[in-house]
Amino acid sequence: MPGTDPRLLLLSPLDNVFVLRGVVEAGEKILLSGTETRVESRIGLGHKLARVVIPKGSKVMKYGAPIGSASQDIPMGAHVHTHNLISDYTPTHTLELARDEFAEASAERAAP
Amino acid sequence: MKGYPRSDGRKGIRNIVSVVYLVECAHHVAREISTPYRDVAHLIGFPGCFPNEYAQNMMEKLGTHPNVGAVLLVSLGCESFNRYQLESVIKASGRPVKTIVIQQSGGTLSAVRAGQAWVAEQAAILANASMVPMDIGELTIGTVCGGSDGTSGITGNPAVGRAFDQLVAAGATCIFEETGELIGCENIMAARAKTPALAEELRASVQKAERYYATLGFGSFAAGNADGGLTTIEEKSMGAYAKSGLSQISGLIKPGDIPPKGGLYLMDVVPDGEVRFGFPNISDNAEIVEMMASGAHMTLFVTGRGSVVGSAISPVIKIAANPHMYARLSEDMDINAGKILEGSASLDEVGTEIFELVMALASGTQSKSEMLGHTEFILTYKTFEPIGPACLPA
């Protein structure tokens, strides 16, 4: 992909996300299809970065296929993950969510 | 490429003696028989004492697998497994077959001695067996992934997909599976079906998996997947689905069904009917065994975390999905697909590397797990209905 940071992998020309084959640090300015874009947060190996602006409600495409819908407007160059992408099938259960639920339940038990 | 000709027209790329225990109670004797001859005698078996049509079918298909040249059945004597039928099916295939019944052989030592003598005799015959030219179109290749992480779906799995595309284009038979991890891919997969009726069958197989796993109360998305960068179940599924490449899907089979001709096939591994015997495949080797029962000469195994398994009967090629694990476990890994992450190789290049290793193994080169003597095998209880007529369009 000319004009694109070599750490970004495009799996299909239909995709609106890149997959990272290396870490991108917060504040780095990287090339996305010829456009220099500032990355706001650290993004790790195997994670996704928006190739273009992805409007809320539209499909996120990876492998040339929809992998869910944007739950908010996603700027170009942003980390695409559980905070802005939701499954069209079953909700994703993360460890953070389980921890928060556990904390809430504990707080309720502790309340008089 | 040369193969060992079999009476059903198929050809083997290996020529092993299969030593088969028909119940756990015969496992020790069978292991003692095979151990001194482990290079040529592979131990397989079924642990249960209750009869099961699926296990019977699987053993009949494995006993007549193209890589198998002779079969020794080891029975305790009172188990329910129908050894008469199994022996008769193998005999009808033209292979040497013998049954040792421990209760009628004087006990452990006598049974082991008799078994070892037979295996030694067969091994000598198999070592001198003649080979005939074999074409790539006569190969059947399966693929599974196990110990997956966030990198499997972007390196090893799509690289296997590229290798599958080359193999299918050359006329080979390729099989992929894991319908429980195709949830979310059913429509895009169905669009690749040879006929609309097959497309419906493909969709139905994924819906069955969705129901089955829901009953088990087990989601196929683990919390740890999100740490590796996976966000949704359909994303994880697409990673697994990438192993299938881009070829047209020629049919839907169930374990033990032999694809009628070259092409790409989906194997439906989720049992039919009510949930009865627990998880469909309790570990990776259960999947490999089903691939072999459908004729796989070898299996492409993509691993992110680093599985070390091989298999009895059919060699396994292990493809490391990331460079860190490859560096840790290089003595077990055949291919480093992690190079794709480092930018030192493309998906096409690794796909071609896999394709070339498939050709080398078919010509007699050993894979890492083969050289290390890995011959894992597991077979448990399942129930299947036969496939419908739309599953294998002409």
Side-chain angles (χ1 to χ4, degrees):
Chain A
M1 178 109 269
T4 292
D5 191 285
R7 284 168 294 181
L8 304 182
L9 186 66
L10 185 66
L11 297 177
S12 158
L14 298 175
D15 291 358
N16 52 15
V17 294
F18 289 108
V19 177
L20 268 71
R21 54 180 163 214
V23 177
V24 175
E25 297 297 339
E28 266 195 69
K29 285 182 182 153
I30 63 168
L31 269 183
L32 287 184
S33 320
T35 309
E36 195 177 69
T37 311
R38 188 185 139 89
V39 175
E40 297 300 327
S41 58
R42 184 182 192 274
I43 310 179
L45 173 69
H47 284 244
K48 298 173 291 299
L49 181 146
R51 183 184 176 201
V52 291
V53 172
I54 306 173
K56 180 178 177 177
S58 59
K59 299 291 182 203
V60 172
M61 302 287 289
K62 179 182 171 187
Y63 303 109
I67 58 160
S69 301
S71 58
Q72 58 190 66
D73 291 336
I74 305 176
M76 184 172 171
H79 186 198
V80 178
H81 204 21
T82 47
H83 60 290
N84 55 16
L85 165 61
I86 52 169
S87 171
D88 294 326
Y89 286 78
T90 50
T92 299
H93 195 76
T94 64
L95 212 50
E96 286 70 29
L97 191 66
R99 181 195 60 199
D100 296 347
E101 281 171 1
F102 174 74
E104 249 173 60
S106 304
E108 271 170 34
R109 274 198 304 275
Chain B
M1 197 188 304
K2 284 183 172 177
Y4 300 95
R6 308 299 181 197
S7 64
D8 60 5
R10 292 188 291 169
K11 290 166 189 166
I13 63 166
R14 299 291 183 268
N15 205 17
I16 61 138
V17 184
S18 197
V19 179
V20 189
Y21 59 92
L22 299 178
V23 63
E24 183 58 23
C25 321
H27 191 161
H28 172 77
V29 168
R31 184 171 47 222
E32 289 290 297
I33 291 170
S34 61
T35 299
Y37 307 96
R38 53 185 277 179
D39 290 341
V40 62
H42 290 185
L43 177 67
I44 71 172
F46 181 66
C49 191
F50 300 94
N52 181 248
E53 210 177 302
Y54 158 81
Q56 182 83 31
N57 179 37
M58 296 292 285
M59 279 304 187
E60 290 174 12
K61 294 290 159 49
L62 293 168
T64 54
H65 185 282
N67 289 352
V68 173
V71 183
L72 178 67
L73 304 178
V74 186
S75 160
L76 174 63
C78 50
E79 73 276 5
S80 300
F81 204 101
N82 189 338
R83 64 177 188 265
Y84 305 107
Q85 184 178 320
L86 179 57
E87 188 185 279
S88 139
V89 167
I90 296 166
K91 190 174 278 170
S93 79
R95 287 172 176 79
V97 56
K98 180 184 172 70
T99 303
I100 289 179
V101 179
I102 299 168
Q103 288 168 348
Q104 298 165 10
S105 302
T108 297
L109 287 178
S110 311
V112 169
R113 271 196 295 269
Q116 286 183 346
W118 194 81
V119 168
E121 192 182 302
Q122 294 305 317
I125 297 168
L126 294 183
N128 294 311
S130 58
M131 298 182 84
V132 295
M134 184 173 176
D135 182 71
I136 183 170
E138 296 174 289
L139 275 179
T140 300
I141 313 293
T143 187
V144 300
C145 49
S148 296
D149 71 3
T151 61
S152 303
I154 61 176
T155 61
N157 290 351
V160 164
R162 306 288 164 104
F164 259 28
D165 289 342
Q166 291 188 45
L167 286 160
V168 169
T173 302
C174 292
I175 310 172
F176 69 111
E177 46 96 60
E178 288 175 319
T179 45
E181 286 186 5
L182 292 170
I183 295 165
C185 308
E186 56 272 23
N187 291 323
I188 171 173
M189 177 167 70
R192 291 166 57 197
K194 192 173 179 184
T195 64
L198 172 61
E200 276 318 303
E201 294 281 1
L202 295 175
R203 273 198 201 92
S205 73
V206 178
Q207 281 154 7
K208 179 178 74 172
E210 211 173 343
R211 282 196 307 274
Y212 202 94
Y213 281 103
T215 307
L216 291 170
F218 150 79
S220 69
F221 195 100
N225 291 140
D227 297 335
L230 297 176
T231 310
T232 63
I233 176 62
E234 51 267 49
E235 180 182 12
K236 184 184 177 187
S237 294
M238 282 304 300
Y241 172 68
K243 296 198 299 299
S244 69
L246 297 168
S247 309
Q248 183 184 61
I249 298 174
S250 295
L252 175 72
I253 57 171
K254 290 180 181 175
D257 296 334
I258 313 286
K261 52 179 185 274
L264 177 66
Y265 295 82
L266 172 66
M267 180 182 282
D268 175 6
V269 300
V270 174
D272 293 308
E274 67 198 84
V275 175
R276 196 170 292 158
F277 301 119
F279 293 109
N281 281 327
I282 63 170
S283 53
D284 296 326
N285 277 96
E287 300 173 0
I288 293 173
V289 165
E290 291 181 335
M291 291 282 177
M292 295 192 300
S294 285
H297 290 93
M298 69 182 92
T299 305
L300 309 179
F301 188 128
V302 181
T303 177
R305 300 196 64 83
S307 172
V308 301
V309 304
S311 176
I313 299 177
S314 291
V316 171
I317 291 178
K318 283 206 301 297
I319 298 152
N322 69 73
H324 317 294
M325 184 275 283
Y326 181 80
R328 276 201 314 279
L329 294 176
S330 59
E331 64 187 49
D332 288 280
M333 298 296 143
D334 296 287
I335 300 267
N336 177 16
K339 287 183 292 191
I340 295 161
L341 287 179
E342 296 172 324
S344 60
S346 68
L347 281 172
D348 283 328
E349 285 164 354
V350 176
T352 298
E353 194 183 335
I354 296 169
F355 176 86
E356 283 166 359
L357 187 57
V358 167
M359 294 299 112
L361 253 69
S363 307
T365 302
Q366 287 198 315
S367 72
K368 292 272 181 79
S369 48
E370 237 182 328
M371 284 187 265
L372 292 164
H374 280 279
T375 50
E376 287 86 346
F377 183 92
I378 188 161
L379 179 61
T380 57
Y381 287 91
K382 274 191 176 184
T383 310
F384 282 103
E385 300 293 331
I387 53 169
C391 291
L392 292 174

